[in-house]
Amino acid sequence: MAHRFAFTVQSTDIDVIGHVNNAKYLEYMEWARFDWIWQLGFTLDELKRRAIMPVVVNININYRKELRMREEVYAITTALRVKEKSFVIRHELYNIHDELVADADVTMVMIDANTRRSILLPEELKEALEKELAAK
């Protein structure tokens, strides 16, 4: 099921042009991604306990509409693909008028925190991703 994460654009997000700086869109998506993975049970404590870390290896982003200070925004995160060691999720950012302002496909791998090498996805994560894909 799609995950929803809401937030408000802050003054520190604005650049000299008067709209949200392009790098902040990626930060917003990161906030949504961490909230999403925590909801799946992979909190920082759990990741540390397992000595694993989710790592972004590729992001393809489209900037579609500018955001301004104090705008209400929400992010929708959905699974696109899952493999043995990697998965792809889509982030979509929407304004209060439900207009798509940015979207990105994010490829991630899980790595061993000690060896810093990719590992098989935890079974619970893989099952959750596959369940979401099957529901589409």
Side-chain angles (χ1 to χ4, degrees), residues 10 28 83 89 93 101 110 114 128:
Q10 300 300 310
Y28 297 158
K83 295 184 178 178
I89 57 176
L93 300 180
V101 298
M110 195 66 74
N114 299 311

Side-chain angles (χ1 to χ4, degrees), residues 49-68:
R49 185 186 73 73
R50 294 182 185 216
I52 60 176
M53 297 183 293
V55 177
V56 172
V57 295
N58 184 271
I59 295 179
N60 292 304
I61 188 168
N62 299 298
Y63 299 95
R64 304 195 181 274
K65 189 168 181 62
E66 66 182 350
L67 289 170
R68 296 183 182 270

Side-chain angles (χ1 to χ4, degrees), residues 30-45:
E30 182 178 25
W31 296 347
R33 190 165 50 254
F34 271 91
D35 192 65
W36 167 78
I37 203 162
W38 280 39
Q39 296 297 321
L40 293 176
F42 291 92
T43 63
L44 282 179
D45 288 340

Side-chain angles (χ1 to χ4, degrees), residues 56-119:
V56 172
V57 295
N58 184 271
I59 295 179
N60 292 304
I61 188 168
N62 299 298
Y63 299 95
R64 304 195 181 274
K65 189 168 181 62
E66 66 182 350
L67 289 170
R68 296 183 182 270
M69 192 166 66
R70 301 301 302 154
E71 277 197 72
E72 297 295 321
V73 183
Y74 65 93
I76 299 294
T77 303
T78 56
L80 291 182
R81 289 184 294 285
V82 61
K83 295 184 178 178
E84 294 298 314
K85 294 184 175 183
S86 67
F87 58 97
V88 180
I89 57 176
R90 173 163 293 150
H91 292 300
E92 296 174 336
L93 300 180
Y94 292 90
N95 63 21
I96 198 164
H97 305 292
D98 296 324
E99 298 169 316
L100 182 64
V101 298
D103 58 272
D105 293 348
V106 181
T107 304
M108 300 187 71
V109 298
M110 195 66 74
I111 67 168
D112 179 293
N114 299 311
T115 66
R116 314 295 267 197
R117 300 277 188 209
S118 65
I119 59 171

Side-chain angles (χ1 to χ4, degrees), residues 4-19:
R4 184 181 171 113
F5 179 80
F7 57 94
T8 304
V9 173
Q10 300 300 310
S11 62
T12 54
D13 301 343
I14 306 304
D15 62 18
V16 296
I17 299 173
H19 63 202

Side-chain angles (χ1 to χ4, degrees), residues 36-37 40 42 87 110 121-129:
W36 167 78
I37 203 162
L40 293 176
F42 291 92
F87 58 97
M110 195 66 74
L121 294 178
E123 199 56 38
E124 308 93 308
L125 177 59
K126 189 173 181 186
E127 287 174 6
L129 291 165

